[in-house]
Amino acid sequence: MTNHTSPASDADWSERDGHLVLGAMVRTLGSFPSGWRYPGAHNDPSTDPRALKRLALAAEKAGFDYLFLGDWLATDPELEFSDPHLLSRIDSLSTAAYLAAITRRIGLVGTVETAHSEPYATARAAASVDRLSGGRFGLNLTVGADAKVEANFGPPGARAQLDRFEVADEYVTVLRGLWDTWGEDAFTRNVATAAIIDRSRVTPLDHVGPAFEVAGPLNVQRPVQGHVPLVHAGTSRRAQQFAAEQADIYVVAPTSLGDAAEFYHDTKARVEAAGRPASALTIVALVLPIVGETRADAWAVYDRLVELFPVDDGTPEAAKLDLPGNRNIRHLRQVIGLPLVERRFDEAVTPGTASRFTAAGARLVDVVTRRSGRTIGGKRPVTYRHLLVAHLIRSPIVVGSPTDIADHLETWFRASAVDGFNVLNAFLHEQFETFARLVVPELHSRGLVRDDYGATTLRGHLGSPRPPAPLPALAAAIAPTTRTD
Ligand SMILES: Cc1cc2nc3c(=O)[nH]c(=O)nc-3n(C[C@H](O)[C@H](O)[C@H](O)COP(=O)(O)O)c2cc1C
């Protein structure tokens, strides 16, 4: 009898055993806007292949579940001072294919946009990288509407008139349908009879929908993982619903533990309402750790990053940079509600001045204290520069020793606010490698991460069962025209 079960190891079917999932966000210029200026930081995109390789090997050695490769089908030189990592980066699927050959166990998540790609090409590319990596690929689908991207793809077609999430749902139907057009054992390779395939196991798709018409079958066999795991990131209700119904991993960016826990429970309820077990969706939050051997070391790294963040301090040098219009004392004044005409950026905020701040200003003081240990009236005082940076950089930054960072991750995980984290780095390589060398072992000693890869596929890392291929009889019933003798 034909075996239609997974060729993957038993471990790939196992539960995650209560471990938190760790993904590494790949941004070679780092995620702190001035990170690339830090002494010794990687800052040359022309040497990215080496940087990617070094990051991937460090992440794999530490046992990360996957590398996350974001993408954007546009660029904008005006992002120079706010998001330098978006200026130039190697296409995410090409990167995943490159890293597939370098790594052995870690998952590789690449990004495709549903509005400006064809599901046939995406199904093929994703199945290809999944095959090349032995079942480690994950596909992040973005469903955004972005004028800069649209400007790169000619006049909008009929698809642009449709609801973007309905298009995305149909896109997923086509992807999965195409991955199922090849049965598991379609390649019979019968040397004696000369039949290399069993044609009954290769079926067309014949999809005709509002957005796509795709005949199939796919021109590459079924992915190692059956269906490549799908990833989504988005904050709107529609994005949440799409993730609940379709995704295996959902990347979120909550601003507080309370919000995260509420969103987590709401999302898991939606997963169940969609007829899936709550564990089918792994919810991971972004986190940007700034770590040092000691808390004081970490504060020093954060202070240096703040100093390197260019602001308009009225000097001719700053004027030449053409900085965004919100990088000056005038802008800060609007936020904290006080005239600051004569203030210099590095002046300490006095207790008297702080007592007159707006609620928003008081919140910024809290952020500065949490990130840098600086206090109003303290030996290391809060400065106006620190306040402005806290206002402009809203990333989920956690600064501290390995114990501090592990405490934060553990608190969120144990509060059922997340299943894991997508870990950003302020700059490469020191910050990521310090996290891998010091924080991951701390998590391990607390029983929060496993000590080695128990599985060989991304699905295995997630504890997500591999969808079986439709049985030949069923496939034949669906598509009788494909029957051959
Ligand atoms: C944490 C996070 C990461 C994201 N990464 C990307 C990305 O790499 N590329 C992209 O085009 N959009 C990215 N997005 C945007 C969303 O994926 C996209 O716009 C989403 O499909 C639509 O959701 P929305 O309705 O919340 O805008 C990201 C969003 C979040 C919250």
Side-chain angles (χ1 to χ4, degrees):
M1 197 183 148
T2 314
N3 176 11
H4 285 284
T5 55
S6 162
S9 72
D10 285 350
D12 288 351
W13 291 82
S14 67
E15 280 296 311
R16 226 172 34 237
D17 294 334
H19 289 142
L20 65 80
V21 166
L22 280 186
M25 291 290 278
V26 177
R27 294 180 180 173
T28 53
L29 290 183
S31 289
F32 202 95
S34 56
W36 66 272
R37 298 182 72 198
Y38 201 93
H42 170 77
N43 61 15
D44 179 0
S46 73
T47 60
D48 270 4
R50 261 181 283 152
L52 290 164
K53 179 176 177 181
R54 182 167 162 182
L55 170 65
L57 292 178
E60 185 165 65
K61 190 167 167 219
F64 272 75
D65 293 291
Y66 57 85
L67 296 160
F68 187 99
L69 303 152
D71 203 11
W72 185 40
L73 296 174
T75 187
D76 184 351
E78 293 201 0
L79 298 174
E80 179 181 5
F81 299 109
S82 57
D83 297 286
H85 73 276
L86 293 178
L87 293 171
S88 158
R89 55 182 170 178
I90 299 167
D91 155 71
S92 74
L93 266 72
S94 309
T95 304
Y98 166 69
L99 295 177
I102 289 169
T103 54
R104 295 173 55 79
R105 287 298 186 95
I106 194 165
L108 304 159
V109 174
T111 297
V112 167
E113 222 230 56
T114 50
H116 298 101
S117 63
E118 291 297 326
Y120 190 93
T122 301
R124 184 192 191 199
S128 302
V129 184
D130 197 57
R131 285 270 155 205
L132 291 168
S133 62
R136 293 185 286 129
F137 189 60
L139 181 62
N140 176 37
L141 292 177
T142 67
V143 185
D146 183 315
K148 281 222 166 283
V149 172
E150 275 157 24
N152 289 334
F153 286 82
R159 218 191 292 169
Q161 310 308 316
L162 304 171
D163 176 90
R164 64 191 167 111
F165 278 98
E166 280 171 21
V167 171
D169 279 326
E170 190 183 337
Y171 196 105
V172 170
T173 301
V174 174
L175 289 179
R176 293 197 174 124
L178 285 169
W179 289 329
D180 282 342
T181 56
W182 282 85
E184 301 292 2
D185 306 310
F187 272 87
T188 48
R189 296 173 292 125
N190 193 326
V191 176
T193 67
I196 192 167
I197 57 169
D198 173 349
R199 292 195 194 186
S200 73
R201 305 253 176 94
V202 190
T203 52
L205 181 65
D206 292 336
H207 173 89
V208 179
F212 305 107
E213 289 189 17
V214 182
L218 193 61
N219 57 351
V220 60
Q221 62 185 310
R222 200 160 192 265
V224 174
Q225 298 180 94
H227 295 167
V228 169
L230 298 182
V231 185
H232 187 60
T235 47
S236 69
R237 278 274 172 238
R238 298 296 303 283
Q240 183 193 24
Q241 190 59 30
F242 179 71
E245 289 171 10
Q246 305 283 18
D248 298 274
I249 301 175
Y250 184 25
V251 187
V252 296
T255 50
S256 70
L257 177 57
D259 287 353
E262 198 179 312
F263 195 75
Y264 180 91
H265 284 102
D266 185 39
T267 307
K268 293 279 178 168
R270 285 166 191 266
V271 175
E272 286 182 332
R276 310 167 69 201
S279 61
L281 183 67
T282 298
I283 301 179
V284 294
L286 290 182
V287 65
L288 171 47
I290 294 180
V291 59
E293 303 248 352
T294 65
R295 191 179 293 170
D297 290 344
W299 284 344
V301 175
Y302 182 74
D303 272 358
R304 188 85 178 99
L305 289 167
V306 170
E307 280 166 30
L308 292 169
F309 182 84
V311 291
D312 183 359
D313 53 9
T315 59
E317 290 74 27
K320 272 189 227 143
L321 285 178
D322 193 16
L323 289 165
N326 56 10
R327 295 222 177 167
N328 50 50
I329 284 281
R330 282 187 312 286
H331 181 76
L332 183 60
R333 167 191 165 175
Q334 286 163 13
V335 180
I336 61 183
L338 291 181
L340 299 171
V341 188
E342 292 303 318
R343 303 284 197 243
R344 280 170 294 112
F345 271 113
D346 293 312
E347 220 172 283
V349 180
T350 64
T353 307
S355 68
R356 290 184 290 127
F357 279 0
T358 57
R363 273 196 299 277
L364 283 187
V365 173
D366 286 346
V367 173
V368 171
T369 301
R370 239 182 300 125
R371 289 183 183 176
S372 67
R374 290 169 174 269
T375 51
I376 300 287
K379 228 161 75 188
R380 294 176 59 250
V382 173
T383 65
Y384 292 98
R385 184 186 299 275
H386 268 270
L387 286 178
L388 184 63
V389 171
H391 170 61
L392 294 178
I393 303 183
R394 308 284 180 92
S395 313
I397 294 174
V398 184
V399 184
S401 66
T403 311
D404 293 333
I405 307 283
D407 284 349
H408 174 90
L409 304 185
E410 180 168 11
T411 303
W412 280 50
F413 182 59
R414 299 233 185 267
S416 293
V418 293
D419 296 314
F421 294 91
N422 263 13
V423 180
L424 296 149
N425 67 84
F427 56 87
L428 290 180
H429 290 279
E430 189 275 326
Q431 275 295 295
F432 184 75
E433 290 177 1
T434 302
F435 183 94
R437 184 170 55 84
L438 299 178
V439 180
V440 175
E442 178 65 28
L443 294 172
H444 180 243
S445 75
R446 299 178 186 200
L448 291 167
V449 292
R450 45 176 171 56
D451 57 357
D452 201 359
Y453 291 103
T456 56
T457 66
L458 176 57
R459 273 194 188 284
H461 302 337
L462 299 173
S464 154
R466 179 180 189 274
L471 295 170
L474 182 60
I478 295 167
T481 53
T482 62
R483 293 290 306 171
T484 56
D485 47 14

